[in-house]
Each structure stands twice: as C-alpha cells, then as structure tokens.
C-alpha cells in the first residue's frame, strides 16, 4: 500500500512535466574509450510530400561489403523502418577531415531516382549509438533555441544564373559532429548528440583514382583545406562521377546521457502547446461543471416529485421519463451488433488506458523505435478477454442464447474491417516499391497474433461472461411496445446525434493537431502527460453529453436510447475525419494519388477506432445512468 502514493506522485509529475519529454532511458548506456569504433547505421529515406519511405540503398550511395539488417521489433517493421549498416565508421574522439567513402558513376536510372527523391524532398536518416541524426537550423531570432531537423535532404535543386533549366545537386559531403559526455574519473565517454551539415561539392583530384588514398584538390586534410560551402555543387547527371566524403568532429558536452533525448523532444513550441491545452481544459471543465450541476438539480427534483405522487390519476397526468419505464429496457433492433461494438470499445479503451499509463510513467522510451506501436498491438490482443466478457454480458441481458455466434462476431468484425483496409493500403505501398510495405512474414505474424491469441481470449472472456447470471433490470418490460409521441425538431435523431459529437471533438481537436503533425510531418511526439489529461477530459465529456441528451430523449417519451447513446458520442469520429481532411488540404503538400489514398485510408481507420471508443464510453455512461434513475423511483 505504501507504493500507491509514490505512483500518484510520479503520475502527477508526469502530467506536469509532460511538455519536457519525461521518460525512462530504457536501454543501458554504452561507454566508449578513445579510438573505439563507432559504427553508423542508416535508416529509411523519408518525405513529408509522399509519405512513402524507401531503403537507403535504393539510391546509388556507397555500400559496405555486406549489408546487414539490424534486429527489428514488430512496431519498427510496421513503421517502415529499415535499419542497416553503413560504410561510415568513426573512431571515438578521433577527428577526421575529408575522408573518402567511395566514388560512384551514375547511370540513367540512378539519375532518375535521385532527381525524383530531390524533387520530393526526401531526407536521409542515420543512427549512431541509437541516436538519430539531426541537422541544426538557426532561427532568425538569435535568442530562440536551435531547431533540429531529423535527417538531411538527399540534395537540392536550383536554377544557375543565365540558365533556364532547373539543375539537381546531391549532398555528397557530410560534416558530422558527435557530442560526448566524459566521465570525470575514467577515460570513458558516452555519446549525447549526433549532428550533420550537408554540402554539395564537385570534388576534383589530380592523377589516377586510387580509392580512399586519392588526394583531392577540393578538400585536403594534409593542407588543412576543408569544405565550408557549396559554391561549386555536384550536379546529378548521367555518366557523372560522384565522390562521397565526410568530416567528423568531436565536442565535449555538459549534457548527461540520461538527458540526451531532450534536444529531440523539445522541437515544438511549448508556450503555444501549454496555452492551447489550458484553454481547452478550462472550457471543457466549465461546460462539464455546468452540465453536471443542471443534471443533478433537475434529476433530484424529478425523482422527489414522482415519488410523492399519491394517486394513479396524478401519475397519468404526469409526462416525462418515468412514463416509459415499461419500455426503456426493451432490447433494441440489431442488438447483436450493439453487443459486438460495445465489446470492441471496451477492448480499445483498455488498450489505450494501459498504454497511456505506461507512457506517462515514462516506460516507453523514444530510443526503443516502434515500442509504442508494439505495446499497443500486444495490449489490443490481450484485451480480447475483456471484449468477449463485456459483449457476452450485454448479449445475455438482451436474452440472447447463441453466445458462440456473438463471440465470433466480436472477434472478427472490427479487426476484420481494419485488416482489410490495411491489406489494400499495403498493396498500394508494395506497388510503389516502398520499404514501408509490410513483408509477408510480418503479415503472417499479425494474423497469428489475431487468430492464435486474440480470438481464443475473446472466447474465454465470452464463456466467463455468459456463464454468470444476467443482470436484472430495475423495472419490468411491457409485452406491447408503447407508441412514441411526435418529437420536437431539435430531438430528431440525426440532429441530436450530430450535435452530441461536437463537444467530445472540441475536447481533443487541439491535441489532435500535434498528434497529426508528429505522424505526417515526421516529428517526435512525447507529450503523453498532456495526452493523458486530454484523454480523461474526453471520457468525462463523452459521458456527460450523452447522459444529458439521453435524459432529454427520455423526457420526450422516446425510449429508443440504446443505439442513440452509442451514436451520440461516437459521432465525434465524423468531425475527426472532417478535421483530418481539412488538415490534409491546409498543412500537407501531398500530390501523389497513392500518398493521398494512404493518408485518407489510415485516417479512416483512426476515425473508425475513435468512433468505437467514444461510442462505447457514451453507451456505458448512459447504461449506468438509466439503471440508476429507474431504480430510484417507485413503480407499481
């Protein structure tokens, strides 16, 4: 029990310092002595314009003798990461100047590939000691902190003076800077920074080409002549020789190893983020407080009044939610489908809650690439137990008898639809020969997780849920359904459902901007303290808006609340998809058809999942509310 207060303190601190990227390092630090080899790994080529990653060696770069793939987790493969070894090998605290990697002669295909990647602003990603390579960019405002861009551009295009044609230039010279933190007592150091400044240089040499021993005239370590600019850039053209070179400098840093990721995690503007979140929080809390106060006062008055009615004549003169007590718990149409979606929503809610708690406590380190996606996938699989249990319990409440049928629907409906969309999108990526295409072996692993673990767990949960006695309704249901009177225009189902989704979406749309930016503009997102806070606000908002609209519906003697309660808060997913469409046209520069299909395909999956999550939250709140109020009144 003594641990609980400490967990609460850590949770609170995580929320407070969420904007500062609180995390546990997650991997053991590596100590390097002087002259220890530092192998550089290469990752995928990425572009915000196409969203299609490609392997580093899909372009005519220098290759090592043998290309080796690094060990990858499931999340890494799904992200499209392809981490491989490279010909770049540094020695700890041993500076190098103008070191030659190799010489490459371009053919027509190479030229076409390079020009296409430069046109689409592809970036080269590298990794040293698990740290990604960044390019420091100085802001115009000198007081502002340095901005770091992940990876360097493959090249640049320009129009030389007096020339009408656009020329393409490749970045073939890299000036690396490795920052290290030195141990004061031992001659050991830890890497805390990995930066680069790329240049395009048309290298020249005299005499015969002698591999790495060739002496260049454009930069020479013997003459202390280094590359400082790209005044004579290397053009991309057929049958052209490109010499790849690099410099490496080492700089001691005061940054400790445990804090080395702070540079990467502080890329967004903190002040805007804080202001947006606090603003959203204050509005939603104010609305929630008002809604809760109105509901408590109105309900208390209603229940007191109904319980004081003495004669049947007085009761008949009354109108409102008590009059539909004989129909309010009548099973809805398509009750099987409702059970399936409520079970799936419980599964999704459990997965998100556990993932966010682990993230807020700092267990999902940014150094573990794909860790977040792997954790979510495994948690989804194991939460199948709760999906089966909750769908079977609701099914039994509706007097259902075929529990195996409802179990199969719960196990296959949502995952089946998502897998079908994912399969089509993956086929499109594969058609573009992108490294983002999920390999067949990974697809097989996903199907194995689904059929081998998730489906059996749904069956176990469903068996346990159906075995228990069904919960009794607070009031008896009449055999003949009551006629629903004509409703006011504002209680029209479509209108009230669409209105109900606005408030939950309003609670998350500011944070949604940062999440979309991190996903589609390839930036780190590690503000889980804020995200957890927004998630809690979303739960409260979905519950309260659904309860209020359900109360108004029952007061209008309309007892068809089951599906309405699910769709009321679930309609926020429609606004999420509309916002994603707005974001696509205002913030992204995607022009390729396949890239656009990928964006809308993945956002459709996200919106569908959001619908299931918010709909289930609203339904559960309404389910609890109706049972509570009808068990509080005297019914003869």
């Amino acid at each position: 029990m003594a641990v609980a207060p400490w967990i609460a303190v850590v949770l609170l601190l995580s929320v407070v310092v969420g904007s500062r990227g609180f995390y546990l390092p997650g991997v053991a630090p590596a100590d390097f002595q002087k002259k220890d080899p530092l192998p550089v790994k290469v990752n995928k080529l990425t572009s915000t314009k196409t969203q299609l990653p490609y392997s580093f060696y899909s372009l005519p770069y220098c290759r090592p003798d043998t290309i080796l793939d690094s060990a990858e987790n499931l999340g890494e493969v799904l992200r499209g990461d392809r981490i491989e070894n490279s010909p770049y090998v540094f020695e700890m605290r041993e500076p190098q100047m103008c070191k030659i990697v190799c010489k490459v002669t371009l053919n027509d295909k190479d030229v076409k590939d390079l020009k296409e990647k430069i046109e689409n602003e592809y970036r080269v990603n590298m990794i040293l000691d698990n740290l990604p390579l960044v390019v420091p960019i100085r802001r115009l405002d000198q007081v502002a902190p340095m901005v770091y861009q992940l990876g360097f551009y493959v090249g640049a295009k320009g129009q030389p003076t007096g020339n009408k044609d656009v020329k393409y230039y490749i970045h073939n010279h890299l000036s690396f800077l490795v920052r290290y933190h030195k141990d004061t007592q031992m001659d050991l150091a830890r890497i805390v920074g990995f930066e680069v400044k790329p240049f395009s240089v048309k290298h020249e040499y005299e005499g015969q080409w002698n591999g790495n021993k060739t002496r260049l005239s454009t930069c020479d370590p013997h003459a202390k002549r280094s590359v400082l600019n790209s005044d004579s850039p290397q053009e991309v053209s057929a049958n052209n020789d490109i010499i790849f070179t690099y410099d490496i400098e080492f700089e001691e840093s005061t940054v400790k190893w445990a804090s080395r990721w702070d540079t990467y995690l502080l890329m967004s503007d903190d002040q805007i983020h804080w202001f947006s979140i606090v603003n959203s929080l204050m509005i939603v809390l104010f609305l929630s407080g008002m809604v809760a106060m109105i509901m408590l006062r109105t309900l208390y008055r209603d229940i007191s009044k109904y319980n004081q009615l003495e004669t049947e004549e007085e009761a008949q003169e009354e109108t409102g939610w008590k009059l539909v007590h004989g129909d309010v718990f009548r099973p809805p149409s398509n009750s099987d489908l409702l059970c399936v979606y409520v079970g799936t929503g419980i599964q999704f809610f459990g997965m998100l809650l556990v993932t966010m708690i682990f993230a807020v406590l700092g267990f999902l380190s940014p150094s573990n690439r794909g860790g977040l996606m792997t954790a979510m996938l495994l948690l989804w699989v194991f939460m199948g137990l709760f999906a089966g249990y909750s769908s079977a319990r609701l099914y039994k409440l509706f007097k259902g008898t075929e529990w195996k049928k409802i179990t199969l629907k719960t196990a296959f409906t949502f995952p089946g639809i998502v897998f079908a969309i994912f399969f089509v999108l993956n086929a499109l990526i594969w058609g573009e020969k992108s490294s983002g295409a999920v390999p067949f072996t990974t697809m097989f692993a996903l199907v194995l997780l689904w059929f081998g673990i998730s489906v059996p767990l749904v069956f176990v949960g469903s068996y346990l849920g159906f075995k228990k006695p069904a919960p009794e309704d607070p009031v008896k249901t009449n055999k003949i359904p009551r006629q629903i009177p004509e409703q006011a225009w504002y209680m029209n189902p479509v209108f009230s459902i669409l209105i109900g989704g606005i408030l939950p979406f309003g609670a998350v749309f500011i944070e949604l901007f940062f999440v979309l930016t991190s996903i589609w503009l390839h930036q780190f997102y590690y503000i889980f303290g804020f995200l957890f806070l927004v998630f809690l606000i979303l739960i409260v908002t979905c519950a309260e808006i659904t309860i209020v609209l359900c109360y108004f519906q029952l007061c209008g003697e309309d007892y068809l609340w089951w599906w309405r309660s699910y769709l009321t808060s679930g309609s926020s997913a429609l606004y999420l998809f509309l916002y994603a469409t707005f974001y696509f046209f205002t913030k992204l520069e995607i022009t390729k058809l396949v890239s656009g299909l990928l964006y809308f395909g993945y956002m459709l999956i996200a919106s569908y999942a959001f619908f299931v999550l918010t709909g289930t939250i609203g339904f559960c709140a309404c389910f609890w509310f109706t049972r509570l109020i009808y068990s509080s009144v005297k019914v003869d």
Side-chain angles (χ1 to χ4, degrees), residues 11 20-21 41 177 373 406 451:
L11 200 79
R20 296 178 180 272
K41 294 179 181 179
L177 173 63
M373 193 172 287
I406 204 74
F451 283 83

Side-chain angles (χ1 to χ4, degrees), residues 536-602:
L536 295 178
I537 294 169
L538 177 68
I539 294 170
V540 173
T541 312
C542 285
E544 288 191 345
I545 193 67
T546 311
I547 287 172
V548 170
L549 292 177
C550 179
Y551 173 72
F552 291 148
Q553 182 186 349
L554 293 174
C555 285
E557 299 178 32
D558 181 357
Y559 52 84
L560 303 176
W561 64 272
W562 297 94
W563 272 110
R564 182 92 71 94
S565 63
Y566 197 98
L567 297 172
T568 296
S569 51
S571 65
S572 56
L574 174 64
Y575 297 104
L576 187 149
F577 191 77
L578 291 174
Y579 181 78
T581 306
F582 170 78
Y583 185 87
F584 178 85
F585 288 108
T586 56
K587 298 294 179 183
L588 300 180
E589 299 177 7
I590 293 174
T591 52
K592 290 185 75 170
L593 177 62
V594 171
S595 304
L597 290 173
L598 282 180
Y599 176 84
F600 284 107
Y602 284 126

Side-chain angles (χ1 to χ4, degrees), residues 134 146 148 192 195 255 259-267:
V134 291
M146 188 82 77
Y148 293 92
V192 295
E195 300 175 10
V255 175
S259 305
R260 65 179 188 163
W261 276 88
D262 289 359
T263 302
Y264 302 86
L265 305 180
L266 289 174
M267 291 186 186

Side-chain angles (χ1 to χ4, degrees), residues 381 411-413 415-417 419 445-456:
V381 168
F412 289 103
T413 302
I417 292 170
F419 189 81
L446 290 174
V447 173
L448 201 64
L449 280 172
W450 181 11
F451 283 83
I453 301 176
S454 181
V455 174

Side-chain angles (χ1 to χ4, degrees), residues 50-66:
T50 68
Q51 304 296 334
L52 293 168
Y54 286 91
S55 166
F56 177 82
Y57 294 112
S58 63
L59 290 182
Y61 283 122
C62 302
R63 295 167 175 257
D65 296 332
T66 307

